[in-house]
Amino acid sequence: MSTPQEDAQKLAQNDALNALLSELPTGAANETPEHRLKRLSMRSMRRGIKEMDIILKKYSDDHLNKMSAEDLDHYERLLAENDQDLYQWVSGQVAAPEQFSVLIEEIATYAGAR
C-alpha cells in the first residue's frame, strides 16, 4: 500500500503528464505519415460502391507508400469526390475533370479499366 505522500506525488506526475499531452498538436494536419497512409488506405476501401472499393484499395495498396506528400494530398482530394463520379471517370464513361485526369488515367490503367 502506498503512503499519502506517494499518492500525492503520483497525482502530481499524472497532472504534469496530462498538461504536456494536452499541448501536443492534433488533427489530420499533424498526423504521422504512417497514420495518414493507413487512413487513406481505409478510405480507399470503404467507399459507397463495391467496384470503387476494389479498384481504389488495390491501387492504394501498391501506390500510397510510394507517393510524395503532395501526391497524397491530391489523392486525398480525389477520395473526397462522389463515388458515382469516380466510377464513371475510371471506367471512361465520362471524362474526368482536368485536375484529376492524370491520376484517374493512372488508376484506370492500373485497374485494367482501359
Side-chain angles (χ1 to χ4, degrees):
M1 187 159 203
S2 60
T3 66
Q5 186 179 16
E6 290 172 332
D7 288 342
Q9 186 178 10
K10 286 179 185 177
L11 284 174
Q13 288 173 342
N14 284 341
D15 288 345
L17 181 59
N18 287 333
L20 287 172
L21 290 174
S22 70
E23 294 177 14
L24 290 175
T26 59
N30 298 304
E31 69 188 339
T32 65
E34 295 81 15
H35 185 262
R36 184 177 194 195
L37 291 176
K38 287 179 185 178
R39 181 175 55 79
L40 291 176
S41 177
M42 184 64 74
R43 286 190 61 204
S44 296
M45 72 176 199
R46 302 281 180 163
R47 308 296 305 171
I49 298 177
K50 187 64 175 173
E51 293 84 356
M52 290 312 301
D53 292 352
I54 294 166
I55 291 168
L56 291 178
K57 178 60 175 155
K58 184 176 177 186
Y59 178 83
S60 70
D61 285 347
D62 291 342
H63 289 85
L64 289 184
N65 62 349
K66 301 172 192 169
M67 290 181 169
S68 68
E70 183 178 292
D71 290 340
L72 290 172
D73 290 343
H74 189 58
Y75 184 73
E76 190 164 3
R77 285 190 295 275
L78 179 74
L79 292 179
E81 295 293 323
N82 180 289
D83 261 7
Q84 273 73 12
D85 293 338
L86 286 175
Y87 185 74
Q88 289 181 336
W89 300 340
V90 170
S91 65
Q93 296 173 21
V94 175
E98 182 64 32
Q99 67 188 25
F100 297 125
S101 62
V102 172
L103 181 56
I104 289 292
E105 184 63 34
E106 184 179 318
I107 292 169
T109 301
Y110 184 79
R114 297 197 190 155

